[in-house]
């Protein structure tokens, strides 16, 4: 009887551990190519985004990211210069599975953005901390890897440099 009780307790412990592992959260990291129209030169430019997050369960998570807006040179008559900047964010993330491979998601949070305009006439800096929102779709390639595509809004409209609206496509790795 004692051996049977030990076997039952051990089986329950193993089953409980296996169940906990399937419901446990997962961290992830990723990188994307982003494009945002530059309002100073009226052109789109490809840049980079890095992000990391944690999914508490299948639907709820949190994510933080950094988007670089590399230096863009311009000339407008006698005025010559460049713009550069970045955007960061922290957001809550809600995911809706469509099927086993495809999920749609939305993000809502706060962003901090900085833009610099350096010209032969003078230098200007603009930064803001305001709302952040994003929507996207994820396609799972396997258990750990997924393709992601997003539209994001980094706060207020920008007077110069990269605009607040950003499109991105990239790769996410879960662990």
């Amino acid at each position: 009887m004692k051996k049977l009780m030990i076997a039952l307790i051990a089986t329950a412990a193993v089953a409980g551990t296996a169940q906990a592992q399937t419901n446990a959260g997962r961290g992830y990291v990723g990188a994307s190519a982003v494009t945002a129209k530059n309002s100073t030169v009226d052109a789109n430019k490809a840049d980079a985004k890095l992000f990391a997050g944690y999914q508490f369960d299948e639907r709820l998570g949190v994510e933080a990211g950094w988007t670089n807006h590399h230096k863009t040179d311009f000339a407008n008559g006698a005025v010559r210069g460049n713009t550069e900047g970045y955007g960061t964010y922290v957001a809550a993330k809600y995911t809706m599975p469509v099927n086993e491979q495809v999920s749609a998601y939305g993000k809502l949070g706060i962003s901090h953005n900085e833009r610099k305009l350096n010209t032969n006439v003078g230098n200007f800096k603009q930064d803001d901390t305001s709302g952040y929102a994003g929507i996207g779709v994820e396609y799972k390639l396997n258990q750990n890897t997924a393709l992601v595509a997003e539209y994001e809004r980094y706060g207020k409209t920008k007077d110069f440099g990269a605009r607040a609206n950003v499109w991105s496509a990239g790769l996410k790795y879960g662990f």
Side-chain angles (χ1 to χ4, degrees), residues 85-107:
Y86 67 88
T88 60
Y89 68 91
V90 175
K93 182 177 178 182
Y94 184 79
T95 304
M96 290 272 307
V98 176
N99 59 37
E100 286 188 25
Q101 287 186 298
V102 178
S103 297
Y105 58 87
K107 299 185 287 185

Side-chain angles (χ1 to χ4, degrees), residues 125-144:
K125 181 179 174 184
Q126 181 184 56
D127 65 293
D128 66 272
T129 299
S130 56
Y132 166 86
I135 57 172
V137 65
E138 175 179 310
Y139 179 80
K140 289 182 184 175
L141 298 173
N142 60 40
Q143 184 66 21
N144 295 326

Side-chain angles (χ1 to χ4, degrees), residues 111 113 128-133 152-158 164-165:
S111 69
N113 309 283
D128 66 272
T129 299
S130 56
Y132 166 86
E152 300 167 287
R153 173 78 182 189
Y154 285 80
K156 302 174 186 176
T157 300
K158 312 304 182 217
N165 304 319

Side-chain angles (χ1 to χ4, degrees), residues 73-95:
D73 296 323
F74 68 89
N76 188 1
V79 179
R80 299 188 189 297
N82 62 62
T83 63
E84 61 184 313
Y86 67 88
T88 60
Y89 68 91
V90 175
K93 182 177 178 182
Y94 184 79
T95 304

Side-chain angles (χ1 to χ4, degrees), residues 28-85:
Y28 61 88
V29 295
S32 294
V34 300
T35 183
K37 192 165 191 173
N38 190 308
S39 57
T40 306
V41 296
D42 196 30
N44 285 314
K45 185 173 181 184
D47 290 304
K49 172 184 165 184
L50 300 174
F51 59 94
Y54 188 81
Q55 282 296 129
F56 299 107
D57 60 26
E58 184 179 58
R59 296 191 186 264
L60 295 176
V62 64
E63 185 175 291
W66 173 78
T67 300
N68 189 24
H69 300 290
H70 288 94
K71 188 184 291 186
T72 302
D73 296 323
F74 68 89
N76 188 1
V79 179
R80 299 188 189 297
N82 62 62
T83 63
E84 61 184 313

